[in-house]
Amino acid sequence: MQTTKTVDLGDPDLYTTLDRHARWREHAAEDAMVWSEPGSSPTGFWSVFSHRACAAVLGPNAPFTSEYGMMIGFDRDHPDTSGGQMMVVSEQDQHRKLRKLVGPLLSRAAAKKLSDRVRTEVSGVLDRVLDGEVCDVAAEIGPRIPAAVVCDILGVPAEDQDMLIDLTNHAFGGEDALFDGMTPRQAHTEILVYFDELIGARRASPGDDLVSTLLTDDELSIDDVVLNCDNVLIGGNETTRHAITGAVHAFATVPGLLDQVRDGGADVDTVVDEVLRWTSPAMHVLRVTTGDVTINGRDLPPGTPVVAWLPAANRDPAVFDDPDTFRPGRKPNRHIAFGHGMHHCLGSALARIELAVVLREVAERVSRVDLVAEPAWLRAIVVQGYRELPVRFIGR
Ligand code: HEM
């Protein structure tokens, strides 16, 4: 169905309450196509919401590119300067080459090896918070685990990890507060400077980490190496932290879930997929048309930016029964929380293993998760995430 409404869907104030789901559901059910006037983006953009339309925009042979950028604000006339260099905003040969190089470091086998690290992190966090004061999961648990895992993948030496984890938390915390006198943007720049040093160290003494792997390709410039370390850093941290926080939110609010995970009544891998669908931390992805395209009956010329809203697709009533309800045994579960098509998340196996370990460890050691207050949501458009989730963990 063709719908033209004029509202700037890139306004982060629209997403700070759960009303966002009602709006998304309405748009998905209508299979709407909404135009946003220039505002959050310089030239405006179209939005799609239904599972069908989002999959069509992101699909393997769709006439769309991410090379101009994959977030609201970029388009053909205002391209992302990382386009053609960083995996998520490159296409064709560069994209294929980067996936081939980086893929093995994030594969299921590599992820399994990292699961001990995840277990140690979760267990350390639970030691601190069990039967204790109120714990803000969004600050104390969600961020720590993915940051530690990404440090291992990058090959950050043990002595630098706490510093990098702190910087990462600040850079991707989604808040504007200062940390060590730095804004989140400055913290991110500090990380990029650190990557430069790490590259120097790995050049002198290579290991089996991401930096060393990227350095094996002579065609990649130092800039390419830094950008692709950053891609894994952002991809691994920004979203996973909210999925982990959401898993604890589900434990606190879905009756019987803790017991079912502990006693095998629920299949953990199936629960993981429901956490991913229900939380959908990647809120949108943008593409630009590469030729004449018809979407939802509307003809779009080349160079048109189109945004797919993943949480809307993941609660599309045409695909998911009772979409707002967390169903531990939901099957099939064709969510597109990891995107779809050529850029489908390369870290999906790792994210799934992180979530499975969190679910198992919490269920093993905790008898109840009490929600102390309703969650507060981030004021953001790139990630759908938790600003605060205060709970009490009651041990077994
Ligand atoms: C790509 C979501 C975890 C690394 C993507 C995309 C989505 C996504 C939607 C596609 C972007 C696009 O189409 O433009 C998620 C979610 C995660 C998660 C929801 C956790 C719950 C991770 C982790 C890593 C990672 C743990 C690595 C440590 C990447 C990379 C890409 C990517 C490298 C680019 C793939 C490509 O362009 O071919 N992710 N991600 N992600 N993700 Fe993830």
Side-chain angles (χ1 to χ4, degrees):
M1 177 183 167
Q2 288 190 29
T3 318
T4 317
K5 296 177 182 168
T6 42
V7 55
D8 184 0
L9 292 179
D11 175 358
D13 286 332
L14 292 174
Y15 305 101
T16 54
T17 71
L18 286 175
D19 292 349
R20 61 184 183 269
H21 286 296
R23 279 194 303 271
W24 280 330
R25 188 169 46 253
E26 190 186 322
H27 291 326
E30 286 178 350
D31 205 354
M33 188 142 167
V34 174
W35 172 250
S36 290
E37 294 290 347
S40 59
S41 87
T43 34
F45 57 92
W46 285 101
S47 287
V48 294
F49 307 88
S50 69
H51 193 279
R52 185 202 58 75
C54 289
V57 169
L58 302 177
N61 298 313
F64 288 92
T65 180
S66 65
E67 232 167 7
Y68 298 117
M70 47 75 72
M71 290 181 295
I72 292 171
F74 295 120
D75 58 40
R76 196 170 57 176
D77 299 329
H78 308 87
D80 184 340
T81 51
S82 316
Q85 286 182 281
M86 190 195 255
M87 185 190 313
V88 76
V89 285
S90 64
E91 302 285 7
Q92 311 288 337
D93 289 352
Q94 172 84 348
H95 180 246
R96 266 193 293 276
K97 177 223 291 249
L98 286 167
R99 270 190 89 100
K100 209 168 151 198
L101 266 177
V102 179
L105 283 126
L106 306 180
S107 67
R108 208 173 153 70
K112 274 202 166 135
K113 281 195 203 141
L114 283 166
S115 58
D116 280 344
R117 174 75 201 261
V118 181
R119 213 165 286 119
T120 311
E121 286 299 328
V122 182
S123 154
V125 167
L126 287 175
D127 286 343
R128 288 200 295 278
V129 302
L130 223 52
D131 295 319
E133 296 298 304
V134 173
C135 165
D136 177 9
V137 184
E140 292 172 50
I141 302 187
R144 172 88 208 175
I145 296 152
V149 168
V150 169
C151 277
D152 270 14
I153 293 168
L154 285 165
V156 175
E159 62 273 20
D160 294 344
Q161 289 210 357
D162 279 341
M163 177 268 300
L164 203 74
I165 290 170
D166 283 347
L167 279 175
T168 308
N169 285 345
H170 186 50
F172 305 118
E175 292 298 306
D176 289 325
L178 291 180
F179 158 84
D180 248 8
M182 280 181 276
T183 62
R185 191 181 282 266
Q186 287 165 330
H188 194 181
T189 307
E190 280 292 302
I191 296 173
L192 298 183
V193 170
Y194 177 80
F195 283 163
D196 252 345
E197 287 170 24
L198 195 58
I199 289 169
R202 286 290 159 272
R203 218 192 255 298
S205 136
D208 55 3
D209 50 82
L210 178 66
V211 176
S212 306
T213 305
L214 289 168
L215 285 172
T216 58
D217 190 312
D218 296 338
E219 285 175 7
L220 292 179
S221 66
I222 290 302
D223 212 27
D224 288 342
V225 175
V226 170
L227 284 171
N228 284 290
C229 287
D230 200 30
N231 194 161
V232 171
L233 179 87
I234 298 171
N237 279 291
E238 244 191 345
T239 43
T240 318
R241 58 197 289 142
H242 298 295
I244 290 173
T245 305
V248 177
H249 188 199
F251 272 146
T253 53
V254 179
L257 183 60
L258 262 174
D259 296 337
Q260 287 173 38
V261 169
R262 189 184 313 112
D263 64 22
D267 171 49
V268 173
D269 293 341
T270 309
V271 177
V272 164
D273 271 302
E274 185 64 344
V275 169
L276 288 162
R277 185 194 72 84
W278 191 65
T279 56
S280 272
M283 199 192 270
H284 80 264
V285 285
L286 174 132
R287 296 289 188 264
V288 175
T289 54
T290 51
D292 291 309
V293 185
T294 305
I295 292 282
N296 285 24
R298 183 172 290 275
D299 297 330
L300 305 176
T304 309
V306 180
V307 166
W309 294 89
L310 304 180
N314 287 338
R315 295 192 186 200
D316 181 343
V319 178
F320 302 100
D321 289 341
D322 200 6
D324 287 338
T325 303
F326 186 106
R327 286 192 182 168
R330 189 180 290 276
K331 256 187 174 171
N333 189 344
R334 295 191 299 116
H335 69 77
I336 52 170
F338 288 126
H340 178 63
M342 302 302 280
H343 292 276
H344 181 271
C345 178
L346 198 58
S348 59
L350 185 54
R352 281 195 161 96
I353 284 187
E354 287 182 45
L355 283 166
V357 172
V358 169
L359 287 167
R360 285 202 178 94
E361 287 295 304
V362 173
E364 199 48 51
R365 296 192 49 193
V366 171
S367 69
R368 238 176 50 224
V369 182
D370 292 342
L371 198 61
V372 173
E374 287 303 317
W377 302 99
L378 281 186
R379 183 179 171 278
I381 54 167
V382 177
V383 284
Q384 170 176 231
Y386 294 83
R387 188 158 58 78
E388 271 173 31
L389 181 71
V391 304
R392 269 204 184 83
F393 289 98
I394 315 298
R396 293 181 67 211

